[in-house]
């Protein structure tokens, strides 16, 4: 059946939330330690922390904490059954068709090649033989050249057919 989110998506969101909480804790701890050290050194009160190759302001740490508190509602909006999640799923289906276009076109090409090799005849040559009887030698060569063009551009042809079947733009 339909689930509101895949297990991978849920575990990814959980990992992101946990790492955000760890980052907020580390920023708070480093900021507090640096603030205490600076007060002990010269009595100054600084709003900027630069320690261990990291640089941030107290305002940035507060902003991250605020975003973290808002994160559960945003996650529910994305993975739940809301208008936002429905729009994301629609966009995901469009993206999936784009991403899978190459492999599907390749499979369609393999099916066409296998069918023509196993049958020993191409659709164009079968049509020509049916229309002209056994076919003249000149017609056989013309059909063979046309079949070569079909095979040469088979990936493009199958991509066009796939896009037509899916109702997507051709270019």
């Amino acid at each position: 059946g339909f689930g509101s989110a895949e297990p991978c998506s849920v575990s990814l969101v959980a990992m992101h939330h946990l790492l955000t909480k760890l980052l907020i804790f580390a920023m708070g701890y480093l900021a507090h330690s640096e603030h205490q050290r600076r007060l002990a050194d010269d009595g100054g009160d600084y709003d900027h922390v630069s320690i261990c190759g990291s640089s941030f302001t107290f305002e940035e740490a507060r902003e991250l904490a605020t975003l973290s508190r808002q994160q559960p509602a945003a996650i529910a909006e994305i993975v739940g059954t809301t208008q936002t999640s429905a729009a994301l799923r629609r966009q995901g289906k469009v993206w999936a068709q784009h991403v899978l276009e190459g492999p599907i076109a390749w499979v369609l090409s393999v099916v066409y090649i296998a069918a023509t090799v196993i049958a020993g005849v191409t659709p164009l040559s079968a049509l020509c033989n049916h229309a002209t009887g056994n076919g003249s030698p000149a017609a056989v060569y013309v059909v063979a050249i046309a079949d070569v063009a079909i095979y040469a551009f088979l990936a493009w042809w199958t991509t066009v057919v796939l896009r037509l079947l899916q109702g997507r733009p051709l270019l």
Side-chain angles (χ1 to χ4, degrees):
F2 175 77
S4 60
E6 295 178 11
C8 179
S9 299
V10 173
S11 63
L12 180 71
V13 166
M15 179 193 66
H16 184 274
H17 190 67
L18 175 65
L19 291 175
T20 300
K21 292 292 187 187
L22 288 173
L23 178 62
I24 291 168
F25 174 80
M27 289 172 77
Y29 181 79
L30 291 173
H32 178 73
S33 298
E34 181 71 4
H35 184 68
Q36 292 299 327
R37 186 188 64 78
R38 287 180 183 173
L39 284 176
D41 286 348
D42 61 8
D45 186 9
Y46 303 98
D47 188 42
H48 186 267
V49 176
S50 182
I51 188 168
C52 299
S54 175
S55 177
F56 59 91
T57 65
F58 293 117
E59 180 59 34
E60 290 170 336
R62 283 191 293 272
E63 182 179 341
L64 183 60
T66 301
L67 290 173
S68 177
R69 283 191 298 277
Q70 296 169 348
Q71 191 177 33
I75 292 168
E77 179 74 17
I78 292 170
V79 299
T81 53
T82 63
Q83 288 180 344
T84 302
S85 65
L88 288 172
R89 280 192 187 82
R90 279 191 304 274
Q91 183 60 38
K93 287 179 183 179
V94 170
W95 182 73
Q97 287 179 339
H98 176 73
V99 168
L100 294 174
E101 177 179 83
I104 292 171
W106 179 78
V107 168
L108 291 174
S109 298
V110 168
V111 167
Y112 180 83
I113 291 168
T116 57
V117 168
I118 291 169
V121 64
T122 64
L124 191 57
S125 64
L127 184 66
C128 182
N129 285 339
H130 179 72
T132 63
N134 282 337
S136 68
V140 170
Y141 289 115
V142 171
V143 168
I145 291 171
D147 282 336
V148 167
I150 290 172
Y151 280 118
F153 297 102
L154 191 57
W156 182 81
W157 291 112
T158 55
T159 300
V160 168
V161 168
L162 180 62
R163 287 183 175 203
L164 286 171
L165 291 173
Q166 292 175 339
R168 296 173 47 220
L170 296 180
L171 299 177

